Amino acid sequence: MEDKKQKDAKAPTPADSVQQTDELTQLREILFGQTNRAFKADLSALESRVEENFTTLNHKLDKQFSEIRKTIDEHVATLSDQLASANESHSTIQAHLQSTTDRLQSELEIAETSAKSDNDALEAHVVKELESLDNLFSKRHQELLAKLQQVTSELSESKTDRKTLANLLSTMATNLATDS
């Protein structure tokens, strides 16, 4: 128990503890006070400069972003105008092409109708000419047969010499050649 009493006697009281803390604080102030104050002043100055630099940097970044946004907006507006102009030009060209296509389609239909009509007329004309030529050849053929019949009957009735017969046949051949 005596040990306990000695320990209790040696145990610091709250007043001793406060006194020791004050002494420690004074000792720290003596040893590190000037350095601590200089450090705090430097830290405060550094914080102040960093804050200034952040503020300046924020202002610069805001200004640059504003300029970039303005430039982008200008480019977007320019591109939008160009796109609108291109769309309008495309629409105009498309309308022109459509009207040209319609006109050409109409002209093609007219040309087809005209060509069919001309073809039909030409075919009718060719058929008529062929019939006319056929009739002409038939008539000439009949005439030649009649003449040949006449010459044959003349030859049968009268005796003609060979020279006259040759001349007659030559004349007939010439007539046949000139008729066709």
Side-chain angles (χ1 to χ4, degrees), residues 81-100:
D81 291 344
Q82 288 175 350
L83 184 60
S85 174
N87 282 340
E88 183 178 322
S89 175
H90 176 72
S91 296
T92 303
I93 289 170
Q94 188 174 12
H96 178 70
L97 286 176
Q98 186 62 42
S99 69
T100 302

Side-chain angles (χ1 to χ4, degrees), residues 44-101:
S44 178
L46 182 63
E47 284 178 352
S48 180
R49 279 185 287 163
V50 166
E51 185 65 34
E52 272 182 38
N53 286 341
F54 275 134
T55 304
T56 304
L57 183 61
N58 277 338
H59 287 303
K60 285 182 181 179
L61 286 175
D62 286 343
K63 185 178 177 183
Q64 286 177 347
F65 282 138
S66 295
E67 289 173 0
I68 289 171
R69 180 168 291 147
K70 182 180 175 185
T71 303
I72 288 172
D73 289 343
E74 288 172 358
H75 286 302
V76 166
T78 302
L79 289 175
S80 294
D81 291 344
Q82 288 175 350
L83 184 60
S85 174
N87 282 340
E88 183 178 322
S89 175
H90 176 72
S91 296
T92 303
I93 289 170
Q94 188 174 12
H96 178 70
L97 286 176
Q98 186 62 42
S99 69
T100 302
T101 302

Side-chain angles (χ1 to χ4, degrees), residues 34-50:
Q34 183 63 28
T35 307
N36 195 13
R37 282 189 293 281
F39 177 74
K40 285 184 180 179
D42 287 344
L43 184 62
S44 178
L46 182 63
E47 284 178 352
S48 180
R49 279 185 287 163
V50 166

Side-chain angles (χ1 to χ4, degrees), residues 151 154-166 168:
V151 169
E154 283 178 8
L155 284 176
S156 323
E157 293 176 7
S158 69
K159 292 187 179 176
T160 311
D161 64 353
R162 288 184 176 193
K163 196 172 190 182
T164 305
L165 184 60
L168 183 62

Side-chain angles (χ1 to χ4, degrees), residues 97-108:
L97 286 176
Q98 186 62 42
S99 69
T100 302
T101 302
D102 292 344
R103 182 178 50 83
L104 289 175
Q105 183 69 29
S106 175
E107 288 177 6
L108 179 63

